[in-house]
Amino acid sequence: MAADAEPLSPPVPEAKFKRVMLKISGEALMGPQGFGLHPPTVERIAREVKSVHDLGVEICMVIGGGNIFRGLQGSAQGMERTTADYMGMLATVMNALAMQSSLEAMGVFTRVISAIPMDQVCEPYIRRRAVRHLEKKRVCIFAAGTGNPYFTTDTAATLRANEMACQAIFKGTKVDGVYDKDPVKYPDAKRFERVSYDEVLAQHLGVMDASAIALARDNNVPIIVFSLDEPDGFRGILAGQGTYTTVHG
Ligand code: UDP
């Protein structure tokens, strides 16, 4: 934690962590469609977030933009890379607003906080202000990635988790942890209970991109990989149950 970070409020007895980062990909919001936002899926994930919020856990979120636009795809089609990346970052703002709308309809107060200022739409990122929102139990949805091209929202999630002094990064995926090979293709794939940052990097285990893993390693923030499709999965882990993999130091 940075020396000038504000002190955290007292710990929550039921939950294993007091402040966490939840990272989900944009694709997690597209449900059975091949593109864009699927409102019932957004609502289902918002409900999971609310159930953890109800435990008193302070929640940061980063949502990717891959359901709308990815910079690499744009540049593969001839678009200038940095422009394409800015379009990807803007896509994450749309996803963040959709999640905000769904959470607030359930009575959860939120802030969308963008790395690229767009005052009419959401707040600009100011670290101390974001910390204050968390202390007031507002879910902070960090949008527009890091604000820089050539990065990903995995790196943005790790960066903000470090800045917000999150105790863990929850990476919601389609499977319930990290496997030695793709469990969808190989039925004999083995799931790790725990795996180190270095093993993830050396074996290219594909948890998050390498810069995100290295940033988590530098600050020793555990990454908990779990299935977003498991009902109550996020809350279960906070309560000490469920199947997942911890990436650690
Ligand atoms: N992006 C970027 N800088 C960042 C974060 C994201 O340029 O700090 C762009 C990049 O083009 C990326 C897109 O935003 O492809 C969407 O983010 P990402 O691919 O991480 O989304 P996800 O795969 O998690 O849905």
Side-chain angles (χ1 to χ4, degrees):
M1 193 189 333
D4 63 346
E6 295 183 28
L8 304 178
S9 28
V12 181
E14 311 91 304
K16 268 177 81 173
F17 300 107
K18 193 192 158 304
R19 182 179 293 171
V20 299
M21 163 64 69
L22 173 64
K23 166 69 196 351
I24 61 175
S25 69
E27 284 178 359
L29 303 185
M30 71 188 184
Q33 305 165 167
F35 178 80
L37 287 156
H38 182 244
T41 303
V42 178
E43 193 186 317
R44 182 180 64 74
I45 295 174
R47 215 162 276 294
E48 299 271 339
V49 173
K50 179 183 182 327
S51 75
V52 170
H53 184 260
D54 288 347
L55 292 174
V57 178
E58 294 170 7
I59 303 174
C60 303
M61 281 186 88
V62 167
I63 308 172
N67 55 324
I68 300 171
F69 197 84
R70 277 211 178 86
L72 271 178
Q73 280 165 2
S75 78
Q77 289 161 7
M79 195 177 280
E80 194 263 320
R81 171 69 192 266
T82 54
T83 303
D85 276 342
Y86 281 117
M87 289 173 69
M89 287 183 256
L90 293 177
T92 72
V93 180
M94 291 173 67
N95 286 337
L97 292 173
M99 182 56 64
Q100 172 173 55
S101 168
S102 208
L103 281 168
E104 298 222 328
M106 294 170 193
V108 179
F109 292 108
T110 66
R111 290 289 186 275
V112 172
I113 301 172
S114 175
I116 298 173
M118 45 182 96
D119 294 349
Q120 285 79 359
V121 178
C122 54
E123 275 188 18
Y125 175 66
I126 299 170
R127 189 185 70 82
R128 283 167 178 275
R129 193 191 277 187
V131 168
R132 194 74 195 119
H133 289 320
L134 291 170
E135 288 167 351
K136 292 191 169 176
K137 307 294 178 210
R138 296 171 186 143
V139 173
C140 287
I141 310 169
F142 294 99
T146 62
N148 301 289
Y150 298 100
F151 284 89
T152 65
T153 52
D154 280 350
T155 304
T158 312
L159 173 67
R160 296 292 184 239
N162 288 345
E163 290 180 280
M164 295 297 116
C166 291
Q167 292 161 313
I169 299 166
F170 281 72
K171 164 89 177 173
T173 71
K174 293 196 182 100
V175 289
D176 59 354
V178 183
Y179 285 77
D180 58 352
K181 48 192 168 189
D182 184 351
V184 180
K185 281 196 209 139
Y186 303 96
D188 63 333
K190 266 189 30 233
R191 187 177 57 79
F192 297 95
E193 280 295 314
R194 290 169 67 76
V195 61
S196 71
Y197 303 113
D198 288 340
E199 282 172 282
V200 168
L201 290 173
Q203 295 180 40
H204 303 283
L205 291 176
V207 176
M208 282 180 157
D209 59 78
S211 49
I213 300 284
L215 198 54
R217 179 184 60 188
D218 289 348
N219 290 278
N220 213 15
V221 187
I223 303 167
I224 294 173
V225 183
F226 73 105
S227 168
L228 263 185
D229 295 336
E230 189 62 42
D232 235 10
F234 186 27
R235 183 186 168 104
I237 299 169
L238 266 298
Q241 301 151 4
T243 319
Y244 54 91
T245 297
T246 306
V247 183
H248 62 96

